[in-house]
Amino acid sequence: MTMDISISHLSKSYGFQKAVDDISFTVKTGEILGFLGPNGAGKTTTMKMITGYLDLEEGDILINGKSVREHDMKKNIGYLPEHNPLYEEMPVIDYLAFCAQLQDVADNTVPDRIKRMVKLCGLDIEKHKKIGELSKGYRQRVGLAQAMIHDPEILILDEPTTGLDPNQIVEIRDLIRQLGTEKTVILSTHILPEVEATCDRILIINRGKIVADGTADTLRKQAKGQQVLRVRIEAPDYNGVYEALKSLHTVASVDLLDKEAMRYEVESTSGSQSNQSIFNLCVNKGWVLTEMIPFETKLEDIFRDLTTN
Amino acid sequence: MKPAWIIAKRELGSFFDSLVAYIMLVAFLGFSGFFTWLFGGDIFFVKEASLQVFFGVAFWTLFFFIPAITMRQIAEERKTGTIEMLLTKSVNYRQLVLGKWIACFLLVVIALVFTLPYYITVASIGNIDHGATVSGYLGLLLMSAVYVSIGIFASSLTSNQIVAFLLALMIGILFHFIFGILASSTSGWLSEIFNSLSLSNHFESISRGVLDSKDLIYFISISLLGIFMSEYMISKKK
């Protein structure tokens, strides 16, 4: 079953501060949307409004065409809150049963659902322990299990991989990817490689406004502008190389990174490429070109560009 | 109403898992038993086959014990953030509050069930007034309903359990005797109002065996008011 989320002109303020400011976007079934932004950008507020925990102020959220203002869509949504609150004194199995019952899973299918979640989230060895005795990674898995216990069409995950070790992060990412093929998933994170690894689409939000929307590649293309190359040229005199590079007509600026290693960073003028002219220069002068690395604009830089002003 | 019952079952389970229930039962039975059978104006001193003494003692012990049960209900959920988890499941405010209310009320009922041997004992040594005893228990149940509501309302105001406990006691004191004192120190319509607000007055007339619809309405409406106000506080303070 498909379930799209479409958000239009959503706003919410706390006192005088606008937490979410006129946000509009759509997420389709089978899509994993990564929600990026600095702390306090409005990610969690937006997610809480989708889950129905916070009331809407202005604008609307449509799930499958139905407004959350009038319809209770909680049964179709699985939610992992930011700090993953759990009942510490409950054993994992009992807690999952409690969540399943609250989400109105039919009584005769509850044991089955719990079994599947335990298997899916790798909780088998810890399933009889009290939640308070679990390590952070296992708590996070319990949080994911409770969010998915009723097999919701929509998953809202607020920082799902915090506190996990690198192996667990990979496992959880794989799990999310796998789920994302048939569900509508929105996840928020601070970890930039994570969005690249898991999400089909990235939404960067800053001070309550959307500042970028697209795949990692399109964001990179937008932000890249000029080509940047890191080159290493072995020549007797680094000043001569510097001057020669600078005089190339495709080059906008040259930076001497390391005198000893003779590394330079070359930025081309917009729209042009300097690979060939640098190579030809070296050939003409008899210099040895030992490295030429196109420098990829990192997602971190795009993020920093968009969210600091 | 199914979610309310699911929440109530979990909450009751956690009372018994966390020793709260055992401490509460032992302390309640200890206090009320001590003052009913062994000390001061106890049953042997009164020399009457009636549980009036017990009702008087329970009237006070429940007054202190109920806030101790109710204080964590909403406050703790707020503090740990589990309230967010609950409210994003298919649970609305009313079901949440009712679930908590039912759990606390049932714990009080369990405590009162354990005092039934008092009744059996007294009935076997003398000619007990069964009607008065039944209405005495009814009075305790109605009073507990009110204090559970007040306690949960106090708990919905804060995320600090101690603050919730003290608030519940403060609101409780108003109903327990301040309104009564005000009624006797004022006159005319003001005195009437305070009189009708005083929980002790209504409790006394019920525990004496007089079942008046006015008293029933009083207890039920204050309990409901507490529940509605808790709902409102939870919806406003997230």
Side-chain angles (χ1 to χ4, degrees), chain A residues 4 7 27 93 101 115 118 125 161 213 227 235 254 260 280 292 309:
Chain A
D4 301 345
I7 292 177
V27 199
I93 292 261
Q101 287 170 330
K115 239 181 249 166
V118 165
I125 25 170
T161 55
D213 181 357
Q227 181 199 36
V254 182
E260 306 299 313
N280 289 335
M292 172 150 23
N309 13 39

Side-chain angles (χ1 to χ4, degrees), chain B residues 149-171:
Chain B
S149 280
I150 290 174
I152 287 178
F153 169 63
S155 186
S156 73
L157 292 173
T158 169
S159 55
N160 184 323
Q161 295 192 32
I162 307 297
V163 172
F165 177 76
L166 294 174
L167 273 175
L169 271 188
M170 274 168 57
I171 303 171

Side-chain angles (χ1 to χ4, degrees), chain A:
Chain A
M1 190 180 163
T2 63
M3 215 165 248
D4 301 345
I5 305 172
S6 109
I7 292 177
S8 56
H9 304 290
L10 192 68
S11 292
K12 172 113 189 160
S13 41
Y14 296 115
F16 291 111
Q17 198 192 356
K18 276 218 154 172
V20 175
D21 192 358
D22 197 22
I23 277 184
S24 303
F25 64 89
T26 313
V27 199
K28 292 202 162 53
T29 305
E31 192 174 32
I32 304 176
L33 178 77
F35 226 23
L36 268 177
N39 284 319
K43 291 172 294 186
T44 299
T45 307
T46 309
M47 291 178 132
K48 281 181 178 174
M49 284 194 275
I50 300 172
T51 60
Y53 179 66
L54 287 181
D55 298 329
L56 308 192
E57 214 167 80
E58 283 166 54
D60 208 350
I61 298 172
L62 301 180
I63 295 174
N64 222 10
K66 289 188 217 158
S67 165
V68 295
R69 286 177 186 273
E70 287 137 40
H71 300 270
D72 188 351
M73 305 302 286
K74 287 174 183 170
K75 268 180 203 149
N76 308 98
I77 298 175
Y79 175 45
L80 173 68
E82 191 176 4
H83 301 295
N84 189 19
L86 301 163
Y87 290 123
E88 308 271 322
E89 75 281 1
M90 279 181 108
V92 173
I93 292 261
D94 292 2
Y95 180 69
L96 292 179
F98 171 70
C99 292
Q101 287 170 330
L102 276 186
Q103 287 290 30
D104 215 10
V105 175
D107 285 341
N108 54 351
T109 57
V110 169
D112 208 51
R113 286 301 304 166
I114 294 174
K115 239 181 249 166
R116 281 201 56 188
M117 284 304 117
V118 165
K119 198 168 160 228
L120 194 62
C121 300
L123 283 165
D124 204 44
I125 25 170
E126 309 278 357
K127 65 184 171 195
H128 294 297
K129 274 197 190 166
K130 286 189 174 175
I131 292 171
E133 295 165 3
L134 299 182
S135 66
K136 184 130 197 213
Y138 275 101
R139 289 174 55 100
Q140 202 67 16
R141 291 170 192 225
V142 175
L144 275 170
Q146 64 84 23
M148 299 184 296
I149 191 87
H150 55 299
D151 199 17
E153 290 88 350
I154 294 168
L155 270 178
I156 312 276
L157 310 171
D158 204 346
E159 299 187 14
T161 55
T162 39
L164 299 181
D165 67 41
N167 295 334
Q168 292 167 332
I169 289 178
V170 171
E171 282 173 39
I172 297 287
R173 276 184 198 162
D174 287 346
L175 181 61
I176 294 170
R177 278 231 76 99
Q178 189 190 325
L179 291 165
T181 53
E182 51 194 39
K183 295 186 191 304
T184 315
V185 182
I186 300 182
L187 70 89
S188 80
T189 179
H190 293 299
I191 309 163
L192 295 151
E194 179 157 296
V195 263
E196 269 202 283
T198 29
C199 300
D200 305 314
R201 212 173 109 208
I202 299 170
L203 206 71
I204 301 181
I205 156 171
N206 187 38
R207 295 188 188 171
K209 282 187 194 302
I210 294 176
V211 288
D213 181 357
T215 63
D217 283 343
T218 54
L219 290 189
R220 221 176 251 127
K221 261 177 211 140
Q222 272 174 25
K224 200 182 253 173
Q226 286 107 356
Q227 181 199 36
V228 177
L229 291 171
R230 284 202 174 156
V231 293
R232 186 173 173 194
I233 297 170
E234 285 177 20
D237 169 29
Y238 60 81
N239 263 327
V241 177
Y242 181 85
E243 293 302 330
L245 282 172
K246 223 173 171 186
S247 62
L248 291 172
H249 66 277
T250 56
V251 172
S253 69
V254 182
D255 223 0
L256 182 56
L257 295 176
D258 189 347
K259 277 184 207 169
E260 306 299 313
M262 289 167 284
R263 281 206 173 83
Y264 309 83
E265 189 172 276
V266 181
E267 197 180 326
S268 311
T269 52
S270 60
S272 62
Q273 308 245 320
S274 313
N275 312 42
Q276 261 187 2
S277 49
I278 292 174
F279 179 76
N280 289 335
L281 176 76
C282 293
V283 171
N284 287 339
K285 301 263 183 174
W287 295 333
V288 185
L289 178 63
T290 52
E291 278 174 23
M292 172 150 23
I293 307 162
F295 183 62
E296 277 228 314
T297 317
K298 278 191 275 171
L299 217 46
E300 270 91 346
D301 298 326
I302 302 171
F303 180 80
R304 211 171 301 127
D305 255 19
L306 290 166
T307 55
T308 49
N309 13 39

Side-chain angles (χ1 to χ4, degrees), chain A residues 53 74 79 87 103 146, chain B residues 77 84 87 89-91 238:
Chain A
Y53 179 66
K74 287 174 183 170
Y79 175 45
Y87 290 123
Q103 287 290 30
Q146 64 84 23
Chain B
E77 301 267 1
E84 187 180 343
L87 290 173
K89 304 255 181 285
S90 303
V91 176
K238 276 190 286 204

